[in-house]
Amino acid sequence: MTRRTVLQLGSATAIAAIVLLTTHAAPSAADVMPGDVITRANAAQVKDLVSPGLSWCVEHGLRMTIGVASSVPWPPAYRDATEKYAAQVRLSDDGLHLEGYVAGAPFPHLDTADPAIAAKLVWNYNYKFYNGDDFDLRNFDADTGTIADDRPLAIERHFLVSHFRRLWYVNRLYVDPKPNLVPNAEGAAYKETLHPLIEPFDLKGVGFTYWRYLDPARQDDSWLYLPSLRRVRRLSTAQRSDALFGQDTDVDSYYGYSGQPAWMQWRYLGQREMLATVHAQHFPVKWGEPADWAFDDVWEKQPFHVVEGVSKLPQYAFSKRVLFISTDTFGIPYSDMYDKAGELWKIWINDAKFDTKPFAAATTAVYPYGVVFAPGVVMVDIQLRHATRIALPSHRFAGEEGWYYNFGEAMGTTEHEFTVAELIASGH
């Protein structure tokens, strides 16, 4: 039995150790070293270092180059907010919401013996440091189709999207007003919108907007605009787990998990050392060959918590989600989803790059602290051998920096962008 301090903060006045963990894991049957290249031929070498879903992907063509592990420091504003406010935060008696939360990590000190550790981990993920106050992801595309071990993606549909935006009302650290966006008559935690679609032609102008509320008893308000029908369709919370338009992704899988923490029963499954893409070397994304449904980049060993979530909604598509939450960033590099029979069904995989800019020549999306740039995302339907790959941004836009955090009104990320009126107007 060993004791490990998982995260060290850099300031002399900062918390010396954020998470103190007790590890009981047995040694891995196989291991990797920096410089190793993992393919289908030696996939067994990483079987104990990845999730079941990711293991399947490696066995069917996802290529890994093993890099040197390095930590990801918290931005000073997030670290300072954690020090200032964390002591006053508690999980409500029913476990459904936070009391006393203002900004920063709600539960920086975790105890694996705590019966509520699973829920607290998900709340840490919900308020992870790289959310930003707002962001605007621009000009990205997606391909969806069937996959095979020895050939490229058989593309069935191609999607091109103009904007994906999010605006936080709480945990604001950079853009005034902070730490809360006021007035907030709706009681929103954040608002998010993806619109308009530019391609394919039959979906041109389609868009999606939803509002997430601070009150866990209040379901999301979600609107889908369909120009071809000239109508706005309301979506239920359970429909957030449904894939739309012939691709594989569902809204609740965004980022690894995008559902309301209170809508799941959480169970802690332990901790593991696992592989993740944390410092991607390629921007835009580099797709593999011949398995170009998967990205080809550098992976490194990192410590993770494993958490299982079972939805409280009877019509939810998945029987459970298994989240792999970084002890360093509280992010989720990948998550496995299971069908109603308990069989492995899908996996969401993030290609992540924590850095101060997306690439050396970037001039706008440049920060004095590390943020996450995700060059690509892949979601795989293992049962159907079907995948959706997303390039963030698209290779078609040379020099596009893609991810714009904390620009607010300067980049057009205002409250107006998250209204149904704007959703309809942008689709015309």
Side-chain angles (χ1 to χ4, degrees):
M1 185 169 64
T2 62
R3 307 270 310 171
R4 174 182 291 174
T5 299
V6 174
L7 182 59
Q8 295 285 337
L9 298 183
S11 170
T13 60
I15 305 170
I18 287 298
V19 187
L20 188 65
L21 302 174
T22 303
T23 304
H24 302 277
S28 295
D31 204 355
V32 292
M33 297 292 291
D36 288 350
V37 176
I38 306 300
T39 66
R40 284 182 294 164
N42 59 348
Q45 195 170 339
V46 298
K47 189 175 182 67
D48 295 333
L49 295 169
V50 296
S51 75
L54 188 53
S55 179
W56 186 96
C57 291
V58 176
E59 291 168 1
H60 292 82
L62 185 149
R63 182 178 184 270
M64 292 178 163
T65 300
I66 308 303
V68 177
S70 59
S71 62
V72 178
W74 289 1
Y78 184 83
R79 181 194 64 211
D80 293 346
T82 300
E83 292 179 343
K84 182 176 181 180
Y85 298 116
Q88 70 188 46
V89 182
R90 66 180 296 272
L91 192 63
S92 62
D93 292 338
D94 59 13
L96 300 182
H97 64 276
L98 301 184
E99 297 175 352
Y101 179 77
V102 178
F107 302 109
H109 305 288
L110 294 171
D111 180 355
T112 56
D114 183 350
I117 185 174
K120 289 180 177 180
L121 279 165
V122 176
W123 279 110
N124 280 348
Y125 163 75
N126 190 70
Y127 291 118
K128 55 193 175 297
F129 76 77
Y130 58 87
N131 285 340
D133 296 359
D134 59 74
F135 73 77
D136 179 10
L137 170 58
R138 298 185 174 188
N139 299 319
F140 60 98
D141 63 9
D143 296 306
T144 188
T146 57
I147 62 177
D149 298 1
D150 56 355
R151 62 160 172 78
L153 179 71
I155 298 174
E156 299 164 354
R157 303 210 82 182
H158 174 78
F159 302 84
L160 181 64
V161 186
S162 180
H163 292 275
F164 181 39
R165 289 186 167 108
R166 179 184 276 193
L167 178 66
W168 278 92
Y169 282 71
V170 295
N171 190 27
R172 296 175 59 84
L173 302 173
Y174 305 100
V175 182
D176 288 328
K178 52 191 179 186
N180 299 302
L181 182 58
V182 291
N184 183 8
E186 300 96 352
Y190 63 81
K191 298 179 180 179
E192 195 162 79
T193 187
L194 186 154
H195 73 265
L197 267 67
I198 301 170
E199 298 173 2
F201 178 78
D202 62 317
L203 295 177
K204 186 174 183 180
V206 165
F208 176 80
T209 290
Y210 79 88
W211 298 358
R212 168 67 47 78
Y213 297 104
L214 292 168
D215 182 357
R218 192 172 178 186
Q219 301 293 305
D220 287 350
D221 277 317
S222 304
W223 299 272
L224 176 67
Y225 177 56
L226 301 167
S228 61
L229 301 178
R230 297 184 178 180
R231 64 186 292 261
V232 174
R233 175 185 167 194
R234 293 292 294 265
L235 299 179
S236 71
T237 300
Q239 287 176 296
R240 290 174 54 89
S241 61
D242 295 338
L244 299 173
F245 308 125
Q247 46 80 60
D248 303 278
T249 64
D250 63 284
V251 179
D252 262 10
S253 290
Y254 289 179
Y255 319 105
Y257 179 63
S258 195
Q260 160 68 264
W263 298 340
M264 291 274 189
Q265 293 283 2
W266 300 106
R267 185 164 70 100
Y268 185 64
L269 301 183
Q271 55 192 95
R272 295 172 57 185
E273 188 174 54
M274 305 180 74
L275 291 168
T277 299
V278 182
H279 298 95
Q281 302 296 301
H282 302 284
F283 194 99
V285 63
K286 177 186 177 184
W287 299 122
E289 186 178 336
D292 64 356
W293 53 268
F295 58 84
D296 183 352
D297 220 306
V298 174
W299 297 70
E300 60 190 74
K301 288 196 291 187
Q302 297 281 345
F304 286 87
H305 296 284
V306 185
V307 174
E308 176 189 278
V310 175
S311 178
K312 300 175 183 178
L313 305 172
Q315 296 177 327
Y316 205 71
F318 306 113
S319 67
K320 66 179 180 180
R321 294 177 180 269
V322 179
L323 311 182
F324 301 88
I325 302 177
S326 167
T327 62
D328 200 3
T329 67
F330 298 135
I332 298 174
Y334 40 87
S335 55
D336 287 350
M337 282 73 76
Y338 291 76
D339 66 15
K340 292 293 188 180
E343 298 295 325
L344 182 62
W345 182 7
K346 293 184 178 183
I347 180 173
W348 174 284
I349 315 170
N350 287 313
D351 182 20
K353 173 187 174 74
F354 285 89
D355 209 336
T356 57
K357 58 174 66 177
F359 51 87
T363 58
T364 304
V366 179
Y367 306 89
Y369 45 84
V371 301
V372 68
F373 301 96
V377 167
V378 175
M379 191 159 189
V380 181
D381 185 324
I382 290 167
Q383 296 182 7
L384 293 181
R385 293 192 172 223
H386 199 271
T388 298
R389 66 179 189 188
I390 308 173
L392 310 161
S394 168
H395 294 83
R396 291 166 55 177
F397 295 86
E400 173 61 72
E401 298 174 24
W403 295 83
Y404 302 94
Y405 291 95
N406 306 325
F407 282 93
E409 187 174 356
M411 282 290 184
T413 306
T414 64
E415 291 186 90
H416 176 71
E417 288 295 325
F418 304 88
T419 63
V420 174
E422 176 58 23
L423 182 67
I424 295 171
S426 70
H428 287 165

